[in-house]
Amino acid sequence: DLPVMINSGSGNQGLTASLPVIVHARAMDKSDEETWRALALSNLIAIHLKKNIGNLSAYCGVVSAAAGTAAALAYLNGQSQEVIEKAVVNTLSTTSGVICDGAKASCAAKIASSIDAAHLGYALASQSKSFAPGEGITQDGVDQMTKVVGHLAQVGMRETDKQILAIMMKKEPVAILT
């Protein structure tokens, strides 16, 4: 066992918000200061999103951490604030809805999927492309997107959370309603 970076009380979120940023910064031969600034940006965005999601939710927290990573990738590549914001919105538009069903082995796959979405979100934003407001849950700007994701996580996923717990607590297969 080794210590990990923790974000919002989660090692998985900490890993998601930090390791891809560190790897990208090293590959680009960025200075320590640039790397620390990118890490701060990534983690602060993840924390800001998590604040709106709440402490316990069926909404997978690595999605918000990956949105922070998307912002950090844009920052490390010298992109504008507009591109950084679009990268965050694109990432959230792509992977919001991934459920959290407890820390376990499949979390690594959820991290990988979320990081993939962060790279896609940044790649689109760097080409001045983004999902348009009104396409699914996509909103105009980070502030509005953050509010929608928070609402989705806190209100929209309440029943999902109850169902996940019911499934996890049962020893026999869950009956499917027809």
Side-chain angles (χ1 to χ4, degrees), residues 114-127:
S114 294
I115 294 300
D116 187 48
H119 281 100
L120 174 63
Y122 166 63
L124 290 170
S126 70
Q127 297 172 23

Side-chain angles (χ1 to χ4, degrees), residues 15 19 21 34 53 73-74 76 80 91 110 115-116 128 139 143 154-155:
L15 291 168
L19 288 179
V21 176
E34 290 170 305
I53 292 168
L73 296 176
L76 286 169
S80 67
T91 303
K110 292 176 184 181
I115 294 300
D116 187 48
S128 298
Q139 300 295 305
D143 291 336
Q154 288 186 19
V155 178

Side-chain angles (χ1 to χ4, degrees), residues 96-178:
S96 286
V98 174
I99 63 166
C100 175
D101 55 354
K104 69 214 156 329
S106 67
C107 289
K110 292 176 184 181
I111 291 170
S113 295
S114 294
I115 294 300
D116 187 48
H119 281 100
L120 174 63
Y122 166 63
L124 290 170
S126 70
Q127 297 172 23
S128 298
K129 296 178 182 173
S130 60
F131 298 105
E135 291 180 350
I137 65 166
T138 304
Q139 300 295 305
D140 188 21
V142 173
D143 291 336
Q144 285 301 105
M145 193 69 188
T146 299
K147 289 176 185 172
V148 165
V149 167
H151 180 79
L152 174 67
Q154 288 186 19
V155 178
M157 294 188 112
R158 268 190 208 136
E159 188 61 31
T160 302
D161 193 39
K162 290 176 189 173
Q163 293 303 315
I164 290 168
L165 289 171
I167 291 167
M168 290 171 63
M169 300 305 285
K170 290 189 176 205
K171 299 293 182 195
E172 68 278 349
V174 177
I176 305 296
L177 297 176
T178 56

Side-chain angles (χ1 to χ4, degrees), residues 57-112:
S57 172
Y59 186 96
C60 182
V62 300
V63 171
S64 57
T69 294
L73 296 176
Y75 168 80
L76 286 169
N77 284 292
Q79 298 289 342
S80 67
Q81 181 176 337
E82 181 183 0
V83 171
I84 291 170
E85 289 182 14
K86 284 182 178 180
V88 170
V89 171
N90 286 343
T91 303
L92 293 172
S93 294
T94 304
T95 51
S96 286
V98 174
I99 63 166
C100 175
D101 55 354
K104 69 214 156 329
S106 67
C107 289
K110 292 176 184 181
I111 291 170

